[in-house]
């Protein structure tokens, strides 16, 4: 079946502009994660959604970052007033989130460049 | 205590050789340890994973060795091939809360033909 999809694949924006990044998880997956991968770095957890529960926002680096998940499916990560340090690849992952089923499946990512 | 330390940062191996990547953790609550493979321009793909109730798991040429007492785990790639050249990430997760992954910093593997 279809995997996790993300759009756009690349985004170049000017400093100070707002951007929206989209994630379509695997159908039926109830859990959705956003991670950030900076150049040459590992993956940093940003936010987690599970069903109708309150999201875990503990990884968001500042209040310029927000995310929502509509209808338990598609998610949008919004970065307001972008800064150059926001340049990174933003990865989305989804999971069944059943007991013992921890596997997360990643999308191809959105490469964000802030000029 | 939430960190996962990964080494080496980069690795060059001859074709047919064994590639070994190591990870260490502090949080004893971690109970799921996956390895991901990432090619340039692609998202990470799950390679193999282990839980702490076993000391080794093998899938094809890929083996995870797990040492619970030392809080260490490693990925062994047997008969390494040029197509294995990629960046490898270890991660750890716990069954409490969000199941979010704590990732290592990655190992860039290059297998010479």
């Amino acid at each position: 079946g279809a995997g996790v999809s993300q759009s756009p694949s690349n985004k170049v924006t000017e400093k100070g502009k707002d951007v929206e990044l989209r994630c379509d998880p695997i159908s039926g997956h109830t859990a959705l994660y956003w991670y950030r991968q900076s150049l040459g770095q590992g993956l940093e957890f940003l936010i987690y959604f599970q069903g109708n529960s309150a999201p875990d926002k503990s990884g968001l680096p500042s209040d310029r970052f927000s995310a929502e998940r509509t209808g338990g499916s598609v998610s949008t990560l919004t970065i307001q007033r972008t800064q150059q340090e926001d340049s990174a690849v933003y990865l989305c992952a989804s999971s069944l989130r059943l007991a013992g089923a921890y596997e997360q499946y990643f999308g191809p990512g959105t490469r964000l460049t802030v000029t | 205590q939430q960190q996962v330390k990964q080494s080496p940062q980069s690795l060059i191996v001859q074709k047919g050789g064994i590639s070994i990547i190591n990870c260490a953790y502090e949080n004893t609550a971690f109970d799921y340890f996956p390895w991901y493979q990432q090619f340039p321009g692609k998202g990470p793909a799950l390679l193999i994973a282990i839980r702490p109730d076993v000391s080794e798991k093998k899938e094809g040429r890929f083996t995870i060795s797990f040492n619970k007492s030392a809080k260490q785990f490693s990925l062994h790639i047997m008969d390494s091939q040029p197509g294995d050249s990629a960046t490898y990430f270890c991660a750890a997760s716990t069954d409490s809360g969000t199941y979010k992954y704590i990732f290592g910093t990655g190992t860039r593997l290059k297998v010479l033909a």
Side-chain angles (χ1 to χ4, degrees):
Chain A
V4 177
S5 60
Q6 293 185 245
S7 60
S9 55
N10 282 283
K11 177 72 176 179
V12 180
T13 190
E14 293 180 353
K15 177 182 173 181
K17 300 285 189 183
D18 297 351
V19 295
E20 286 189 352
L21 312 180
R22 177 187 167 104
C23 171
D24 282 89
I26 293 172
S27 177
H29 280 195
T30 57
L32 187 147
Y33 303 78
W34 284 96
Y35 293 87
R36 178 169 70 175
Q37 184 173 26
S38 301
L39 186 62
Q41 301 297 312
L43 287 82
E44 170 192 18
F45 167 79
L46 297 178
I47 189 168
Y48 159 79
F49 295 91
Q50 166 60 18
N52 295 320
S53 303
D56 176 355
K57 304 179 182 180
S58 60
L60 294 179
S62 78
D63 59 8
R64 296 186 295 105
F65 288 72
S66 63
E68 63 177 19
R69 188 178 184 191
T70 54
S73 181
V74 172
S75 176
T76 302
L77 176 69
T78 301
I79 308 173
Q80 295 179 310
R81 306 181 302 282
T82 52
Q83 302 295 311
Q84 288 187 329
E85 61 262 29
D86 299 334
S87 296
V89 176
Y90 290 83
L91 290 157
C92 175
S94 70
S95 172
L96 272 173
R97 187 52 165 86
L98 297 176
Y102 293 10
E103 293 83 1
Q104 294 182 24
Y105 298 88
F106 284 82
T110 293
R111 181 175 297 277
L112 175 66
T113 303
V114 181
T115 61
Chain B
Q1 200 181 25
Q2 282 290 85
Q3 279 187 322
V4 176
K5 295 181 180 179
Q6 183 171 346
S7 64
Q9 189 174 20
S10 63
L11 181 62
I12 299 175
V13 173
Q14 293 287 340
K15 179 182 176 181
I18 302 174
S19 303
I20 302 174
I21 304 170
N22 301 299
C23 285
Y25 63 97
E26 289 295 324
N27 187 350
T28 55
F30 288 145
D31 64 351
Y32 179 71
F33 303 90
W35 284 90
Y36 279 80
Q37 179 188 57
Q38 186 178 31
F39 292 104
K42 306 291 186 183
L46 179 64
L47 196 59
I48 187 172
I50 198 168
R51 300 185 192 279
D53 53 345
V54 296
S55 60
E56 185 175 283
K57 183 174 181 180
K58 183 176 180 179
E59 289 185 3
R61 296 185 294 109
F62 301 92
T63 300
I64 300 179
S65 296
F66 186 82
N67 186 329
K68 189 174 181 177
S69 61
K71 291 183 284 187
Q72 295 175 348
F73 59 109
S74 60
L75 175 70
H76 296 235
I77 305 174
M78 313 300 286
D79 187 27
S80 299
Q81 299 297 312
D84 297 330
S85 297
T87 300
Y88 293 81
F89 292 95
C90 64
S93 180
T94 174
D95 68 353
S96 64
T98 66
Y99 293 67
K100 67 187 180 188
Y101 287 171
I102 306 298
F103 280 92
T105 50
T107 296
R108 182 171 292 185
L109 171 66
K110 184 177 177 67
V111 181
L112 302 176

